[in-house]
Amino acid sequence: MPTHPLFALDEIEAGTARKVVIGDREIALVRIDDDVYAIGDTCSHDDVSLAEGFVEADDCMIECFRHGALFNLKTGEPESLPAVRPVPVYDVSVVDGQVVLTIDEPEDDA
């Protein structure tokens, strides 16, 4: 699985989100305390960046700013309407102070 060193943990403030683009994937990285979560950046209800939403640190969720859909940062599952479909979840870790994203690439059919 390819890993992608992104940036120092200190470059993202706790309780905020940041969008990164890896290949054709747009991913929202969310920091809560010293933990970082990575989910697909596009709300499954509407074409809106979740990284621009509101982080609900106590519940480990992010709220889409346009219509208020809440997504669980651990599972990607929607926790409130109007979203009904999950967003992808990615493996992310902090290694020596660096945020590192791991993406499980689909296998080629060729």
PDB file of all heavy atoms in Angstrom, residues 53-72:
ATOM      1  N   GLY A  53     -16.208  22.088   6.549  1.00  0.00           N
ATOM      2  CA  GLY A  53     -17.274  21.942   7.529  1.00  0.00           C
ATOM      3  C   GLY A  53     -16.806  22.203   8.949  1.00  0.00           C
ATOM      4  O   GLY A  53     -15.720  22.730   9.185  1.00  0.00           O
ATOM      5  N   PHE A  54     -17.656  21.793   9.874  1.00  0.00           N
ATOM      6  CA  PHE A  54     -17.423  22.061  11.286  1.00  0.00           C
ATOM      7  C   PHE A  54     -17.043  20.753  11.992  1.00  0.00           C
ATOM      8  O   PHE A  54     -17.763  19.761  11.882  1.00  0.00           O
ATOM      9  CB  PHE A  54     -18.688  22.650  11.922  1.00  0.00           C
ATOM     10  CG  PHE A  54     -19.215  23.826  11.155  1.00  0.00           C
ATOM     11  CD1 PHE A  54     -20.304  23.685  10.308  1.00  0.00           C
ATOM     12  CD2 PHE A  54     -18.605  25.064  11.260  1.00  0.00           C
ATOM     13  CE1 PHE A  54     -20.785  24.769   9.580  1.00  0.00           C
ATOM     14  CE2 PHE A  54     -19.070  26.148  10.539  1.00  0.00           C
ATOM     15  CZ  PHE A  54     -20.163  26.006   9.698  1.00  0.00           C
ATOM     16  N   VAL A  55     -15.948  20.781  12.721  1.00  0.00           N
ATOM     17  CA  VAL A  55     -15.488  19.603  13.444  1.00  0.00           C
ATOM     18  C   VAL A  55     -16.196  19.528  14.793  1.00  0.00           C
ATOM     19  O   VAL A  55     -16.194  20.498  15.553  1.00  0.00           O
ATOM     20  CB  VAL A  55     -13.957  19.642  13.644  1.00  0.00           C
ATOM     21  CG1 VAL A  55     -13.492  18.457  14.484  1.00  0.00           C
ATOM     22  CG2 VAL A  55     -13.245  19.669  12.294  1.00  0.00           C
ATOM     23  N   GLU A  56     -16.834  18.375  15.040  1.00  0.00           N
ATOM     24  CA  GLU A  56     -17.486  18.110  16.326  1.00  0.00           C
ATOM     25  C   GLU A  56     -16.553  17.177  17.099  1.00  0.00           C
ATOM     26  O   GLU A  56     -16.689  15.952  17.049  1.00  0.00           O
ATOM     27  CB  GLU A  56     -18.856  17.463  16.112  1.00  0.00           C
ATOM     28  CG  GLU A  56     -19.815  18.260  15.260  1.00  0.00           C
ATOM     29  CD  GLU A  56     -20.394  19.444  16.007  1.00  0.00           C
ATOM     30  OE1 GLU A  56     -20.337  19.451  17.253  1.00  0.00           O
ATOM     31  OE2 GLU A  56     -20.892  20.364  15.350  1.00  0.00           O
ATOM     32  N   ALA A  57     -15.569  17.749  17.782  1.00  0.00           N
ATOM     33  CA  ALA A  57     -14.502  16.964  18.421  1.00  0.00           C
ATOM     34  C   ALA A  57     -15.040  15.996  19.469  1.00  0.00           C
ATOM     35  O   ALA A  57     -14.588  14.849  19.540  1.00  0.00           O
ATOM     36  CB  ALA A  57     -13.462  17.897  19.038  1.00  0.00           C
ATOM     37  N   ASP A  58     -15.999  16.415  20.269  1.00  0.00           N
ATOM     38  CA  ASP A  58     -16.512  15.545  21.340  1.00  0.00           C
ATOM     39  C   ASP A  58     -17.167  14.279  20.791  1.00  0.00           C
ATOM     40  O   ASP A  58     -17.138  13.234  21.432  1.00  0.00           O
ATOM     41  CB  ASP A  58     -17.513  16.299  22.215  1.00  0.00           C
ATOM     42  CG  ASP A  58     -16.840  17.360  23.058  1.00  0.00           C
ATOM     43  OD1 ASP A  58     -15.597  17.302  23.219  1.00  0.00           O
ATOM     44  OD2 ASP A  58     -17.550  18.258  23.542  1.00  0.00           O
ATOM     45  N   ASP A  59     -17.769  14.371  19.610  1.00  0.00           N
ATOM     46  CA  ASP A  59     -18.457  13.229  19.008  1.00  0.00           C
ATOM     47  C   ASP A  59     -17.658  12.583  17.885  1.00  0.00           C
ATOM     48  O   ASP A  59     -18.133  11.623  17.270  1.00  0.00           O
ATOM     49  CB  ASP A  59     -19.823  13.677  18.467  1.00  0.00           C
ATOM     50  CG  ASP A  59     -20.728  14.183  19.569  1.00  0.00           C
ATOM     51  OD1 ASP A  59     -20.690  13.609  20.677  1.00  0.00           O
ATOM     52  OD2 ASP A  59     -21.456  15.153  19.329  1.00  0.00           O
ATOM     53  N   CYS A  60     -16.458  13.110  17.592  1.00  0.00           N
ATOM     54  CA  CYS A  60     -15.583  12.592  16.525  1.00  0.00           C
ATOM     55  C   CYS A  60     -16.328  12.590  15.178  1.00  0.00           C
ATOM     56  O   CYS A  60     -16.382  11.584  14.481  1.00  0.00           O
ATOM     57  CB  CYS A  60     -15.065  11.201  16.877  1.00  0.00           C
ATOM     58  SG  CYS A  60     -13.573  10.760  15.944  1.00  0.00           S
ATOM     59  N   MET A  61     -16.892  13.749  14.839  1.00  0.00           N
ATOM     60  CA  MET A  61     -17.645  13.886  13.595  1.00  0.00           C
ATOM     61  C   MET A  61     -17.296  15.199  12.913  1.00  0.00           C
ATOM     62  O   MET A  61     -16.720  16.096  13.533  1.00  0.00           O
ATOM     63  CB  MET A  61     -19.144  13.856  13.879  1.00  0.00           C
ATOM     64  CG  MET A  61     -19.639  12.507  14.308  1.00  0.00           C
ATOM     65  SD  MET A  61     -21.414  12.438  14.250  1.00  0.00           S
ATOM     66  CE  MET A  61     -21.736  11.893  15.909  1.00  0.00           C
ATOM     67  N   ILE A  62     -17.668  15.260  11.628  1.00  0.00           N
ATOM     68  CA  ILE A  62     -17.559  16.514  10.894  1.00  0.00           C
ATOM     69  C   ILE A  62     -18.919  16.792  10.273  1.00  0.00           C
ATOM     70  O   ILE A  62     -19.599  15.872   9.814  1.00  0.00           O
ATOM     71  CB  ILE A  62     -16.428  16.478   9.841  1.00  0.00           C
ATOM     72  CG1 ILE A  62     -16.156  17.874   9.316  1.00  0.00           C
ATOM     73  CG2 ILE A  62     -16.729  15.488   8.723  1.00  0.00           C
ATOM     74  CD1 ILE A  62     -14.818  18.009   8.594  1.00  0.00           C
ATOM     75  N   GLU A  63     -19.319  18.063  10.285  1.00  0.00           N
ATOM     76  CA  GLU A  63     -20.617  18.475   9.771  1.00  0.00           C
ATOM     77  C   GLU A  63     -20.433  19.225   8.460  1.00  0.00           C
ATOM     78  O   GLU A  63     -19.655  20.176   8.388  1.00  0.00           O
ATOM     79  CB  GLU A  63     -21.318  19.385  10.785  1.00  0.00           C
ATOM     80  CG  GLU A  63     -22.670  19.875  10.325  1.00  0.00           C
ATOM     81  CD  GLU A  63     -23.338  20.791  11.338  1.00  0.00           C
ATOM     82  OE1 GLU A  63     -22.799  20.953  12.452  1.00  0.00           O
ATOM     83  OE2 GLU A  63     -24.382  21.340  11.005  1.00  0.00           O
ATOM     84  N   CYS A  64     -21.141  18.788   7.444  1.00  0.00           N
ATOM     85  CA  CYS A  64     -21.131  19.482   6.160  1.00  0.00           C
ATOM     86  C   CYS A  64     -21.720  20.879   6.363  1.00  0.00           C
ATOM     87  O   CYS A  64     -22.806  21.016   6.935  1.00  0.00           O
ATOM     88  CB  CYS A  64     -21.954  18.699   5.130  1.00  0.00           C
ATOM     89  SG  CYS A  64     -22.081  19.535   3.544  1.00  0.00           S
ATOM     90  N   PHE A  65     -21.009  21.889   5.891  1.00  0.00           N
ATOM     91  CA  PHE A  65     -21.456  23.264   6.157  1.00  0.00           C
ATOM     92  C   PHE A  65     -22.701  23.642   5.381  1.00  0.00           C
ATOM     93  O   PHE A  65     -23.434  24.540   5.781  1.00  0.00           O
ATOM     94  CB  PHE A  65     -20.325  24.264   5.887  1.00  0.00           C
ATOM     95  CG  PHE A  65     -20.073  24.548   4.440  1.00  0.00           C
ATOM     96  CD1 PHE A  65     -20.737  25.589   3.801  1.00  0.00           C
ATOM     97  CD2 PHE A  65     -19.181  23.787   3.718  1.00  0.00           C
ATOM     98  CE1 PHE A  65     -20.509  25.862   2.461  1.00  0.00           C
ATOM     99  CE2 PHE A  65     -18.947  24.051   2.377  1.00  0.00           C
ATOM    100  CZ  PHE A  65     -19.608  25.081   1.740  1.00  0.00           C
ATOM    101  N   ARG A  66     -22.988  22.950   4.272  1.00  0.00           N
ATOM    102  CA  ARG A  66     -24.124  23.381   3.440  1.00  0.00           C
ATOM    103  C   ARG A  66     -25.472  22.921   3.990  1.00  0.00           C
ATOM    104  O   ARG A  66     -26.402  23.705   4.108  1.00  0.00           O
ATOM    105  CB  ARG A  66     -23.966  22.894   2.009  1.00  0.00           C
ATOM    106  CG  ARG A  66     -25.105  23.408   1.128  1.00  0.00           C
ATOM    107  CD  ARG A  66     -24.929  23.179  -0.312  1.00  0.00           C
ATOM    108  NE  ARG A  66     -23.889  24.045  -0.837  1.00  0.00           N
ATOM    109  CZ  ARG A  66     -23.387  23.937  -2.056  1.00  0.00           C
ATOM    110  NH1 ARG A  66     -23.810  23.000  -2.866  1.00  0.00           N
ATOM    111  NH2 ARG A  66     -22.450  24.756  -2.460  1.00  0.00           N
ATOM    112  N   HIS A  67     -25.600  21.631   4.326  1.00  0.00           N
ATOM    113  CA  HIS A  67     -26.908  21.116   4.752  1.00  0.00           C
ATOM    114  C   HIS A  67     -26.886  20.464   6.133  1.00  0.00           C
ATOM    115  O   HIS A  67     -27.897  19.941   6.584  1.00  0.00           O
ATOM    116  CB  HIS A  67     -27.459  20.119   3.734  1.00  0.00           C
ATOM    117  CG  HIS A  67     -27.726  20.747   2.407  1.00  0.00           C
ATOM    118  ND1 HIS A  67     -27.008  20.414   1.279  1.00  0.00           N
ATOM    119  CD2 HIS A  67     -28.607  21.706   2.031  1.00  0.00           C
ATOM    120  CE1 HIS A  67     -27.439  21.143   0.252  1.00  0.00           C
ATOM    121  NE2 HIS A  67     -28.413  21.931   0.683  1.00  0.00           N
ATOM    122  N   GLY A  68     -25.739  20.427   6.783  1.00  0.00           N
ATOM    123  CA  GLY A  68     -25.689  19.952   8.166  1.00  0.00           C
ATOM    124  C   GLY A  68     -25.558  18.452   8.354  1.00  0.00           C
ATOM    125  O   GLY A  68     -25.692  17.973   9.479  1.00  0.00           O
ATOM    126  N   ALA A  69     -25.288  17.689   7.291  1.00  0.00           N
ATOM    127  CA  ALA A  69     -25.100  16.245   7.466  1.00  0.00           C
ATOM    128  C   ALA A  69     -23.846  15.997   8.307  1.00  0.00           C
ATOM    129  O   ALA A  69     -22.813  16.619   8.100  1.00  0.00           O
ATOM    130  CB  ALA A  69     -24.952  15.554   6.114  1.00  0.00           C
ATOM    131  N   LEU A  70     -23.976  15.083   9.265  1.00  0.00           N
ATOM    132  CA  LEU A  70     -22.850  14.732  10.128  1.00  0.00           C
ATOM    133  C   LEU A  70     -22.260  13.407   9.671  1.00  0.00           C
ATOM    134  O   LEU A  70     -22.995  12.455   9.378  1.00  0.00           O
ATOM    135  CB  LEU A  70     -23.314  14.594  11.578  1.00  0.00           C
ATOM    136  CG  LEU A  70     -23.567  15.883  12.341  1.00  0.00           C
ATOM    137  CD1 LEU A  70     -24.336  15.586  13.617  1.00  0.00           C
ATOM    138  CD2 LEU A  70     -22.261  16.576  12.664  1.00  0.00           C
ATOM    139  N   PHE A  71     -20.915  13.332   9.628  1.00  0.00           N
ATOM    140  CA  PHE A  71     -20.226  12.099   9.259  1.00  0.00           C
ATOM    141  C   PHE A  71     -19.312  11.675  10.394  1.00  0.00           C
ATOM    142  O   PHE A  71     -18.565  12.497  10.938  1.00  0.00           O
ATOM    143  CB  PHE A  71     -19.404  12.294   7.981  1.00  0.00           C
ATOM    144  CG  PHE A  71     -20.239  12.478   6.762  1.00  0.00           C
ATOM    145  CD1 PHE A  71     -20.647  13.753   6.377  1.00  0.00           C
ATOM    146  CD2 PHE A  71     -20.652  11.391   6.019  1.00  0.00           C
ATOM    147  CE1 PHE A  71     -21.436  13.933   5.256  1.00  0.00           C
ATOM    148  CE2 PHE A  71     -21.446  11.552   4.893  1.00  0.00           C
ATOM    149  CZ  PHE A  71     -21.843  12.827   4.512  1.00  0.00           C
ATOM    150  N   ASN A  72     -19.354  10.368  10.713  1.00  0.00           N
ATOM    151  CA  ASN A  72     -18.478   9.785  11.719  1.00  0.00           C
ATOM    152  C   ASN A  72     -17.066   9.715  11.134  1.00  0.00           C
ATOM    153  O   ASN A  72     -16.866   9.128  10.071  1.00  0.00           O
ATOM    154  CB  ASN A  72     -18.993   8.387  12.088  1.00  0.00           C
ATOM    155  CG  ASN A  72     -18.214   7.758  13.201  1.00  0.00           C
ATOM    156  OD1 ASN A  72     -16.990   7.687  13.166  1.00  0.00           O
ATOM    157  ND2 ASN A  72     -18.932   7.293  14.208  1.00  0.00           N
TER     158      ASN A  72
END
